[in-house]
Each structure stands twice: as structure tokens, then as C-alpha cells.
Amino acid sequence: MKHSTNLWENLAGPPVRRSSAIRPDSRDRREHSGFIKLRLGHSEGRTYLIPDVLIGVGGLRFFLPSFFSPPIIAFNVEDGKHIADFSLDVGSPRAVDTARLLVKVRSEDRVLSYEDGAQLYRCSFDGPRRLAGLASGLCHPMPSGDFSLRVYHHTTRANAAKIVKSRELWSSPWNLAGTRKLANVAYGYFTSLSKIKNEGDLQLIAMASNEIIKFQTTSNKLKEDVLSLKVYRGDTLDRTFAMGFDVPCEVIAPVHLYFHPSVNTNSAYYEVVGSEIVRVGVNPSAKLHISGSEISTAKADLKRFDYVVLGNAGTLDGLAAQYNEEETKQVTHLEKLDITTDLFQFWWKNQNTDQVTDRVFEARELSPP
């Protein structure tokens, strides 16, 4: 997206994060190799790939996407082999301008199939020569072939001492906005931010000192509409101590999404909601276990859903649905792939079929106010 005043003159205010334009002839780009965790999602009228996390820089850095494009898939480029191309926009925590990576995934490069239906692939991607400064944080490979991400839980020094002593991290029943309690799931909350410094940091993790975060629509209106969303009343004084933990990709919950419709000459794209927030879903009241810096949870305690909320960013309701987590009409259904079927095979076998109508799933439930 170009950053011209004319292009953005209809905005209600400056964007918190924006995508940088690609310069294909730039000499400061090269091809990299890495790994990417993907999900196959279905919503009304479309199927697409949802990137959870990209691993790069020799398996030592992870990148949480802010924006991504629909994929272009070439089937049977060789006998039984397929290729998917799509773009990711990534940036370090607090980055306003992101960088675009052009990712290529081949069907024969699947590494892992996770129990919740996600799959890990080797990939290649075109991007800036220097990637480390764009990363969300550090990571390391695990013996299982998975990767563990270094993320942070923010609290007070006194509470941190209790967590270390108990070797347990209590899950939270609060929804993403922190305004309602969930009845059938709780979350361990982490963030890629190593410090909570100011009001801007609070808003990146869905908190605000005045309880309000503002969002604006994506449309061709003369002036975009503004949503004032009520969130948890947070304070930097309550989050003065950062506890660093290593969380396996396998247990990280899928993210909610925005769909930004095509406007004028700008193509449609997807946005990750709260890209600095990392959650682990467990059964209500279940605890996360701490061993050194590693986070784990009993397999029976994990709570997973077969959908994420997909809000249309052209409407005020679509902007609010993900944070409230009570909207079940605007959803993307997550295909539960297993070791016998990769996402390419499923797509090829089920091309041009309805994957949404009559699909039954368990929704997140909110406790009474």
C-alpha cells in the first residue's frame, strides 16, 4: 500500500500499522529459507491459507504476520506436486511500517502435522536482506521438529515470585477484550513485547488506561467510520516485571482475523487481530506448567476450537466481533487436517465445493454479564 496523503485522506486517523509497498527491483532483497505453520480456512465463498508463524534466520527468529494475502496455488507443477504463493507483512513489536515477504510453499515440504489440524512446512521467501530487525522475537528448534517461541507474561515482581515458586501459570477466563468471562475455555496470555512501556503498548495487548481502543473501517467512504471498543482497563504500573517463557508452536491458539475488502485499486487482504498477543487455550481453570523457561500443559487440558472469528473490516460490527469473541456468524472454519492429508490434497480433492453450509462446531461461550 502506498503511503500517499491522497490515498489515505479518507482515514479517520493515522493507522497504527501499515504495509510497505514492494519494490521488485530493490537490490536490498534476497531469497531466504525457513518454516511456516499454516492452517486451511473456509468462510462463505472462499477458502484460503492462514499463516500462524514464520520461522527464519536459521531457525532462531520468529515472525508473527500482521497482514497476509489470499494464496495463488499451482497444482501438479510436477506429478502430484503443488506450490502455493502468498505474501506476509511482518514487523517487530511496535513497528508502524511493516515489510512484505513473498512466500513460496511446496507440497512435498511438509514437516509436521499438528493435532489441531495445522501443518508445518519448509518454505522459501523473498524479503529484505536483513531480517532479524523485523522479527517478533527469538525461537529455537525442538527435538520433535517443532519450534518454541520466546514470549513474555507481564506482571508485578511480587506475583512473578509466586509464579516461579509454584511453577504454574494460571489461565485467565477473560475474552480478548478483557470485558467478559468465557464459560468453556480459558487462556494463558503472552505477548511478543518484552516490556510494557506506555499507553501504546497497552493497546497492542488489548488494554487501555481509559478502557477504550479506537478502530476504523476499510471502505470507500468519504470518511471512515470509527469504532470505540471497550477493553480491559490496564495500567503500566501493574506490569513492571516481564517473565520470559518458551511456548511451543503446537499449543498456540489460532488468531482471529479481519477481512479487508477490495477498495478501488487496492486488492482484498487479511489482517491478524492482536498480532502481539499469543494465547494458549485450555479447559476452564486449568493451569499451564513451567519447567525452567518452558511452558507445557497436559494434552487433556488443551482446549481447541475449529473456527476463528473473521470480521469484515468494512463494518463496525466486523471490527468488534473478534475482541468480544461472541460473534458466531462471521467465522472462518478451520479444516482439521491430519498426517494422511495435506492442505494441498484437501484443496484439490474438494475444489469448487461448499465447505461452510451445515458445518457444526462448538462456539466460545460467554458467561452472563
Side-chain angles (χ1 to χ4, degrees), residues 24-97:
D25 59 344
S26 172
R27 297 180 180 179
D28 192 36
R29 297 178 70 88
R30 73 174 182 86
E31 187 169 283
H32 304 266
S33 60
F35 299 83
I36 189 163
K37 182 185 176 187
L38 294 170
R39 300 178 189 274
L40 185 63
H42 312 290
S43 57
E44 189 172 350
R46 64 179 70 93
T47 287
Y48 57 101
L49 303 181
I50 304 172
D52 269 19
V53 61
L54 175 73
I55 306 293
V57 195
L60 300 178
R61 297 288 190 280
F62 72 93
F63 302 79
L64 299 175
S66 295
F67 311 100
F68 61 95
S69 72
I72 298 174
I73 299 183
F75 290 102
N76 294 311
V77 291
E78 299 176 37
D79 187 25
K81 295 181 179 180
H82 322 295
I83 298 176
D85 291 276
F86 53 94
S87 68
L88 295 183
D89 293 337
V90 300
S92 61
R94 304 187 186 89
V96 175
D97 289 300

Side-chain angles (χ1 to χ4, degrees), residues 31-171:
E31 187 169 283
H32 304 266
S33 60
F35 299 83
I36 189 163
K37 182 185 176 187
L38 294 170
R39 300 178 189 274
L40 185 63
H42 312 290
S43 57
E44 189 172 350
R46 64 179 70 93
T47 287
Y48 57 101
L49 303 181
I50 304 172
D52 269 19
V53 61
L54 175 73
I55 306 293
V57 195
L60 300 178
R61 297 288 190 280
F62 72 93
F63 302 79
L64 299 175
S66 295
F67 311 100
F68 61 95
S69 72
I72 298 174
I73 299 183
F75 290 102
N76 294 311
V77 291
E78 299 176 37
D79 187 25
K81 295 181 179 180
H82 322 295
I83 298 176
D85 291 276
F86 53 94
S87 68
L88 295 183
D89 293 337
V90 300
S92 61
R94 304 187 186 89
V96 175
D97 289 300
T98 58
R100 180 158 294 179
L101 309 180
L102 304 178
V103 182
K104 185 181 296 294
V105 179
R106 301 181 64 93
S107 59
E108 66 266 30
D109 287 336
R110 180 171 45 147
V111 177
L112 285 176
S113 291
Y114 298 98
E115 286 196 14
D116 68 351
Q119 298 188 329
L120 183 71
Y121 285 82
R122 291 185 181 88
C123 68
S124 61
F125 56 96
D126 173 85
R129 288 182 177 273
R130 296 174 179 83
L131 286 176
L134 301 171
S136 300
L138 301 173
C139 64
H140 68 262
M142 302 175 68
S144 64
D146 199 7
F147 289 85
S148 194
L149 313 185
R150 171 52 61 103
V151 289
Y152 301 90
H153 180 76
H154 295 277
T155 185
T156 62
R157 187 175 293 275
N159 284 340
K162 296 176 183 177
I163 292 170
V164 170
K165 184 177 180 180
S166 68
R167 292 188 294 179
E168 292 180 337
L169 188 64
W170 289 12
S171 58

Side-chain angles (χ1 to χ4, degrees), residues 170-189:
W170 289 12
S171 58
S172 168
W174 293 98
N175 65 351
L176 193 59
T179 54
R180 295 278 302 277
K181 287 186 176 181
L182 293 155
N184 59 345
V185 64
Y187 287 100
Y189 277 91

